Amino acid sequence: MRAAAIVAALAVAGCGLGVGDSSGGSDNLPTLAAGPYARLRPAAATAAAEPWLLTATDALLRDPALLPRADGGLRVWLTIDPVGDAPPEIGYAELPGPRDAPDRVVARVVAADQPWEEGRVGAPAVVADGDRLLLFYQGGVAAPAIGRAESTDDGATWTKAAAPVLAGARAPSAAVVDGVVHLFATLSDRPGVFHAVDDGRGGFTVDPTPVVAPRPDVDGAFDRAAVADPCVLVQELATGRLHWSLWFTGFDLDPGDERAAPSVGYAASFDGTNWQRPGDVGPVLAAPATGPAVLVRQHGGLMLFSSQRNLRDAIAAAQHP
Amino acid sequence: MRRAALLAIAAASAPAAAAANPADLFGFGARGAAMGGAQAAAASDGTANYYNPALLARAGDIRIDVGYQLAAPSLLVDGRDLHVDGSRGVAIDLAVPGRLGRLALAVGTAVFLPDQQLTRIRTLPPTQPRFSLYDNRPQRLLLAANVAIAIGDRLSLGGGIAYMSSAAGTVALRGVLGFPDRNDSDLDLAIDVDLRTIRYPELGAALRVLPWLDVGVTYRGGFRLVIDQAFDLRGDIGSPGRDPIVADAYFKLHSISQDQFQPAQLVAGAWARLTPRLGVAFDLGWHRWSAFENPAAHIAIELDVGEFNDLVDLPPPASLAAAHFADIAVPRLGVEWIAHAAGGRQLLLRAGYVFEPSPAPEQIGESNFIDNDKHTASLGAGVVLPHLGAEVPRPLGLDAFVALTVLAPRDHHKLSPVDPVGDYRSSGRVLSAGLMSRWRF
């Protein structure tokens, strides 16, 4: 009994009853991945040439669209604009991760074959709708419009609608909410990014109030001259409420001005109709960057965007936080 | 210079030395914790140093209790564990009775000595989500000293102080800051840090109303740890042996934050021995959480780089939103049953329940001081052994407890859609356990 008491005393004196050390409560912090974003820094032990993800020697790569692969990898659709006279087409690539080399290199998957496309397609936006994938893309030159295609084999083949779904519009981004497709795009005749809703008759109804518009009167605003290239993402939060995020390209000078320094901005909404922008005037990703595509991951966000590498547009990656 | 500013911010945000209270969260000692902490009138050992110092006066012999406690939280946001640190350490208390003339008195002390870090101080970014009551409060040394007197056979009074330490200090660098080659820097470093004593009171009273009924009341003072740190750099910018690019440049970052907040607490309790074998304890505590302030750092930056001042754009000091915590009432219920008693040996079974409403409002703005309503259920057992020979002639007690605190799921809906964190749901549980040996001499 005496020995038992001593053992008990030693036990309660307590050495070695430890539990594992942890992070101090900083793991898995919630985030909507709004930003800010920072370009991936080069790392010695990776296969990628960070921040560059996809490059080509014979083409400009632009306007990425992004979906997650089942194994955590990345599925990327993009515009391939060949050097020379060949018209732009829509390409596709896959990567195990943002610091890996593609395990499916960029290849053309959709070409222009409809009269209204005027030989050019690009600026893809891909969204999953149940078992099918929906592709919205920009076609046309003199009369730009947004077309629609559908794939029931996970993107292997696409079936296009014969007519465009939204005329006079460019650079689409799409979300499916309660079975209804919502498009965000720029319009040919008005500045800003606009919201259009599937009218159920093969077309879309545009809300005339822009979701975001240039801010010429705001000192220091990164988007004084123009906004373009929307990327919309709708998440159902743990509280059951929907949250709409919109990233877009902002231009400080006219997009045609070679001195322009485009960067990426952010806006958000709880209902897709009433939008707010952060209080500061800066971007969430510094220039030069256009055509953002965002994937929200468990601990943050991954953004792909277009930027110039060796005077040619390529796809780069940035992350938050 | 931006890098220097970042370094300074990092230095000011880094953990320093000094002081909240694991006992408030997980109880002190195995008997009290098993009974849900309802001990304002029921504490019968040296843990009265924490629960009600007046009860020390009822000790008829010298009592030393030594134990070990641990708590392992699993606190979730959106179903994912933030991996908040656990708390574990040695709990020791002492009660020594005596007489001063005709006056019966007792002195006592209690220590909770964490075995990870003695005390951790840290300042998190103002918007970072954190479980405010668990984030850092358990990471602290608890040290209290008390004295109690018995007035007649029924009334006793007690009081004492608990000690902590705050930190105030400056990191000063003087010399040449190399530019453009930082390797040309030649700086003398001086660090001046004071660990200043902070004391807060503990007071208690206990009254034996009836032979089978005791009541008690305890007041524990509020406490907050102020961390006052400065980073001070003065010197020339340039290369040694050449005229400086900027002579007598100056950079100072001053950070004031608070940590380890402990609310003032007023607890009233009763301990009723309903039968010779069954006792029931009930406490009701008032916790003044309305005094809780935003713990993020107030940072002020001063910079003088001469003619280059216009090129540096210092951010304006951020204003910190009020935390808007509310005072809470915490009921505690404990039961102790002597399941077996023979030949001086006893087997005691205990159980408890605590409901602690959250003092924190729903986090709808920029701050993310997460907290939930908490339900704690506890179980425990104890044995009393009459004697273990000449070395341990007095009864020896061995107690154990296990408790589970469940944080009721709570939704936080943000007012602004551009809030970078967004809506979230907080939930979780904390499992705590402990052993304690009770020695009498």
Side-chain angles (χ1 to χ4, degrees):
Chain A
M1 183 59 77
R2 192 176 306 166
I6 292 169
V7 169
L10 288 173
V12 297
C15 296
L17 293 179
V19 292
D21 289 334
S22 64
S23 71
S26 296
D27 285 346
N28 301 318
L29 296 176
T31 176
L32 288 174
Y37 282 82
R39 288 165 171 78
L40 293 187
R41 290 176 175 273
T46 60
E50 297 93 343
W52 305 104
L53 218 61
L54 298 170
T55 59
T57 55
D58 58 350
L60 314 181
L61 305 181
R62 291 193 298 263
D63 313 321
L66 189 53
L67 283 182
R69 203 165 66 178
D71 65 354
L74 308 174
R75 309 182 71 186
V76 184
W77 289 263
L78 70 171
T79 303
I80 305 173
D81 193 354
V83 175
D85 295 333
E89 297 175 324
I90 294 172
Y92 176 69
E94 293 187 10
L95 304 97
R99 293 186 181 276
D100 299 309
D103 50 11
R104 181 169 170 174
V105 297
V106 177
R108 292 163 176 78
V109 290
V110 177
D113 56 8
Q114 303 294 317
W116 70 267
E117 293 167 348
E118 300 180 73
R120 304 171 67 91
V121 292
V126 180
V127 62
D129 181 24
D131 294 334
R132 61 180 184 168
L133 293 176
L134 302 179
L135 167 68
F136 295 90
Y137 61 96
Q138 177 184 321
V141 181
I146 292 173
R148 179 184 186 278
E150 181 177 324
S151 174
T152 55
D153 54 9
D154 200 31
T157 59
W158 295 91
T159 304
K160 290 181 179 175
V165 294
L166 186 61
R170 305 170 193 263
S173 180
V176 178
V177 179
D178 296 332
V180 177
V181 179
H182 296 254
L183 272 185
F184 291 79
T186 54
L187 303 182
S188 300
D189 58 352
R190 281 169 280 177
V193 170
F194 293 83
H195 179 193
V197 181
D198 189 346
D199 62 12
R201 301 187 301 274
F204 282 80
T205 304
V206 178
D207 183 337
T209 303
V211 171
V212 291
R215 298 184 290 183
D217 301 328
V218 177
D219 281 345
F222 71 97
D223 51 0
R224 292 190 300 277
V227 293
D229 310 328
C231 167
V232 69
L233 205 58
V234 180
Q235 303 174 70
E236 181 174 353
L237 305 180
T239 56
R241 187 159 62 160
L242 291 181
H243 184 271
W244 303 58
S245 296
L246 186 85
W247 293 267
F248 58 93
T249 306
F251 291 86
D252 57 340
L253 300 172
D254 184 274
D257 189 327
E258 63 182 16
R259 296 170 300 163
S263 48
V264 177
Y266 177 75
S269 170
F270 287 127
D271 57 11
T273 302
N274 300 292
W275 291 81
Q276 287 186 28
R277 300 178 66 171
D280 56 28
V281 297
V284 295
L285 177 65
T290 61
V294 172
L295 185 64
V296 175
R297 309 178 120 193
Q298 186 172 336
H299 307 305
L302 174 69
M303 178 184 288
L304 304 190
F305 59 97
S306 316
S307 192
Q308 283 202 337
R309 184 192 195 200
N310 301 328
L311 300 178
R312 289 196 177 151
D313 288 347
I315 306 301
Q319 65 183 4
H320 163 84
Chain B
M1 185 53 70
R2 182 172 298 173
R3 178 172 297 179
L6 292 174
L7 283 172
I9 291 170
S13 302
N21 198 334
D24 281 357
L25 285 169
F26 310 122
F28 188 76
R31 178 175 181 265
M35 296 173 67
Q39 297 284 287
S44 62
D45 53 22
T47 60
N49 279 290
Y50 169 72
Y51 290 111
N52 186 347
L55 294 171
L56 290 170
R58 294 186 181 169
D61 44 20
I62 296 172
R63 298 183 178 194
I64 299 173
D65 308 323
V66 181
Y68 190 85
Q69 294 178 224
L70 59 85
S74 177
L75 305 179
L76 314 178
V77 172
D78 292 347
R80 293 193 283 269
D81 197 328
L82 266 56
H83 297 140
V84 171
D85 287 337
S87 170
R88 59 182 192 262
V90 179
I92 304 172
D93 59 62
L94 168 70
V96 180
R99 299 197 72 85
L100 187 61
R102 297 175 57 188
L103 200 61
L105 56 77
V107 294
T109 186
V111 177
F112 180 83
L113 196 63
D115 65 6
Q116 298 154 293
Q117 54 266 321
L118 205 56
T119 296
R120 183 177 72 188
I121 299 174
R122 64 180 185 182
T123 301
L124 298 175
T127 57
Q128 178 173 326
R130 84 287 304 267
F131 280 87
S132 291
L133 273 64
Y134 294 96
D135 165 53
N136 205 39
R137 291 175 66 222
Q139 311 300 332
R140 176 196 132 169
L141 168 74
L142 172 67
L143 174 61
N146 295 286
V147 60
I149 58 171
I151 302 174
D153 295 333
R154 299 170 62 181
L155 176 66
S156 58
L157 302 174
I161 49 177
Y163 295 90
M164 278 302 139
S165 144
S166 67
T170 302
V171 177
L173 287 166
R174 300 287 185 267
V176 176
L177 186 65
F179 184 86
D181 185 353
R182 63 184 177 185
N183 293 322
D184 288 339
S185 296
D186 182 11
L187 295 165
D188 293 326
L189 170 67
I191 300 176
D192 181 5
V193 177
D194 290 335
L195 301 179
R196 297 170 182 160
T197 304
I198 296 177
R199 294 171 286 270
Y200 59 91
E202 296 180 331
L203 303 169
L207 178 65
R208 178 149 292 168
V209 180
L210 297 167
W212 55 272
L213 177 65
D214 291 293
V215 295
V217 61
T218 302
Y219 172 78
R220 295 185 201 104
F223 166 81
R224 74 189 68 192
L225 184 66
V226 176
I227 313 161
D228 184 337
Q229 291 182 306
F231 179 86
D232 188 329
L233 172 62
R234 185 182 291 277
D236 297 337
I237 300 177
S239 299
R242 298 185 180 179
D243 289 341
I245 299 171
V246 178
D248 201 22
Y250 177 65
F251 172 82
K252 184 174 184 180
L253 182 148
H254 188 200
S255 165
I256 298 179
S257 59
Q258 58 176 288
D259 196 1
Q260 303 281 17
F261 178 83
Q262 170 182 299
Q265 299 162 54
L266 183 63
V267 184
W271 166 235
R273 291 169 294 281
L274 300 180
T275 74
R277 286 177 175 261
L278 177 66
V280 176
F282 177 78
D283 281 9
L284 183 63
W286 170 82
H287 297 192
R288 190 168 177 258
W289 276 102
S290 58
F292 178 76
E293 296 178 9
N294 190 322
H298 296 262
I299 295 176
I301 300 175
E302 299 172 38
L303 177 73
D304 181 3
V305 287
E307 58 186 297
F308 299 103
N309 281 343
D310 292 342
L311 300 178
V312 182
D313 187 17
L314 290 176
S319 59
L320 300 179
H324 295 297
F325 276 36
D327 297 344
I328 57 172
V330 181
R332 299 173 182 273
L333 179 67
V335 179
E336 184 176 62
W337 178 50
I338 302 173
H340 174 78
R345 289 184 168 84
Q346 286 186 333
L347 170 64
L348 302 105
L349 301 178
R350 305 178 180 111
Y353 170 77
V354 186
F355 173 64
E356 184 176 356
S358 173
E362 180 183 347
Q363 298 298 293
I364 59 177
E366 290 183 353
S367 66
N368 292 287
F369 304 131
I370 307 171
D371 190 45
N372 301 45
D373 291 346
K374 294 169 278 294
H375 302 268
T376 299
S378 54
L379 292 171
V383 294
V384 175
L385 305 172
H387 59 81
L388 298 173
E391 292 88 350
V392 188
R394 299 288 184 103
L396 168 68
L398 295 171
D399 299 319
F401 83 97
V402 61
L404 177 66
T405 300
V406 175
L407 279 68
R410 183 179 195 187
D411 288 349
H412 303 266
H413 300 81
K414 294 294 184 179
L415 287 176
S416 170
V418 293
D419 186 287
V421 174
D423 297 358
Y424 52 86
R425 173 171 294 174
S426 57
S427 60
R429 63 182 185 276
V430 181
L431 183 64
S432 54
L435 299 168
M436 182 162 259
S437 60
R438 302 197 281 167
W439 306 77
R440 300 168 65 170
F441 299 95

